[in-house]
Amino acid sequence: LWSMRKPISRFAAKNNINLISDSPNIDFIYGISEVLVKKPKEYSHRSVFTGFWNDPDSHALSPDIEEFIDKGKKPVIITFGSMVNPKIDNCIRDLINILLSSKQRIILIRGWNKSDYINPDPDNLLILDSAPYETLFKKASALISHGGIGTVSTGLQAGLPVFTIPIMYPVGDQMFWGKQLEKIGVSAGTIPIGKTNKINLSDAMHRLISDESLLSNAQRIKSTLMSEDGLGKAVEIIERQ
């Protein structure tokens, strides 16, 4: 990051390391949309936030997913991606109980967390190891995730209200993205995994499924993101070098 230039320069000077250039004549490309976070003022003028980078290919959903979705209203997606943490299991079980008791349908994507979960209601809960986010999220009603930027960006592009449960806290960037989602008005909140409990999760789920302003803001941001071509802009910058 450009903001690390000064500490890197001090370290290099202290250790007699010759840097290639104090001001490299190159572009710094970030696959981030300024809809989510504005480029910091201290970044170089050659640092470019292109917009999110999308997979241009459309990936079909498996028949079992399509069948589940067609049976009822749009599901809430729960996914913690590649996160593995012993506290995730209880949190997921609490979320499932709260959402099912609120007459919500759920798709749980286990990702790297391979724990076995008892399915108390197969008509309204589908448990998967993986699924194509870009396609699935477009058929969902809301998203609960760890706040990884890939999952966050896909949720925004699908126009989903969200709730964030950072797993890598206090380290990592998940809390930061969760708070940014709150700032732009699409999030029911951000609670680190170690601070979740039945009460605050229940409150968050109530807001996630009932606060119409979250959905309205998410749909508005989706429309804005549709006008961005982050991948195309990144390719353009690279090819003109």
Side-chain angles (χ1 to χ4, degrees), residues 66-97:
E66 291 280 14
E67 181 181 357
F68 177 82
I69 291 174
D70 290 343
K71 282 184 178 179
K73 63 182 181 180
K74 292 182 176 181
V76 176
I77 305 295
I78 303 175
T79 177
F80 292 101
S82 61
M83 296 294 100
V84 178
N85 184 298
K87 295 179 180 178
I88 288 178
D89 288 349
N90 285 337
C91 180
I92 286 178
R93 292 187 181 97
D94 287 342
L95 288 169
I96 288 172
N97 290 334

Side-chain angles (χ1 to χ4, degrees), residues 34 43 54 56 62 76 90 112 119 122 131 136 149 166 186 201 208 213 218 224:
E34 292 204 54
Y43 276 35
N54 306 103
S62 61
V76 176
N90 285 337
W112 288 17
N119 190 337
L136 178 60
I149 187 56
V186 302
L201 287 176
L208 181 67
S213 69
T224 301

Side-chain angles (χ1 to χ4, degrees), residues 48-66:
V48 182
F49 283 22
T50 62
F52 298 125
W53 299 347
N54 306 103
D55 183 348
D57 296 326
S58 178
H59 300 278
L61 298 176
S62 61
D64 59 325
I65 300 177
E66 291 280 14

Side-chain angles (χ1 to χ4, degrees), residues 114-234:
K114 299 302 183 182
S115 296
D116 290 324
Y117 298 99
I118 296 173
N119 190 337
D121 187 356
D123 288 335
N124 292 299
L125 170 62
L126 179 64
I127 302 175
L128 305 169
D129 286 334
S130 62
Y133 285 2
E134 295 86 352
T135 308
L136 178 60
F137 286 10
K138 294 174 183 177
K139 299 189 176 186
S141 63
L143 171 65
I144 302 166
S145 84
H146 57 296
I149 187 56
T151 308
V152 164
S153 62
T154 307
L156 286 175
Q157 290 163 330
L160 297 179
V162 303
F163 176 64
T164 308
I165 305 176
I167 308 301
M168 295 180 65
Y169 176 82
V171 299
D173 60 348
Q174 296 167 4
M175 176 63 80
F176 172 80
W177 297 122
K179 291 300 182 182
Q180 289 302 121
L181 292 168
E182 291 182 44
K183 288 181 181 178
I184 62 176
V186 302
S187 176
T190 307
I191 304 176
I193 186 71
K195 296 184 179 181
T196 58
N197 56 57
K198 290 182 175 65
I199 295 174
N200 59 25
L201 287 176
S202 180
D203 290 343
M205 292 306 96
H206 175 73
R207 186 181 179 202
L208 181 67
I209 62 181
S210 65
D211 189 336
E212 294 182 0
S213 69
L214 299 181
L215 178 59
S216 176
N217 290 335
Q219 290 294 311
R220 173 179 50 80
I221 287 171
K222 173 187 174 182
S223 297
T224 301
L225 292 175
M226 287 177 65
S227 67
E228 296 184 350
D229 180 13
L231 190 57
K233 189 172 183 179

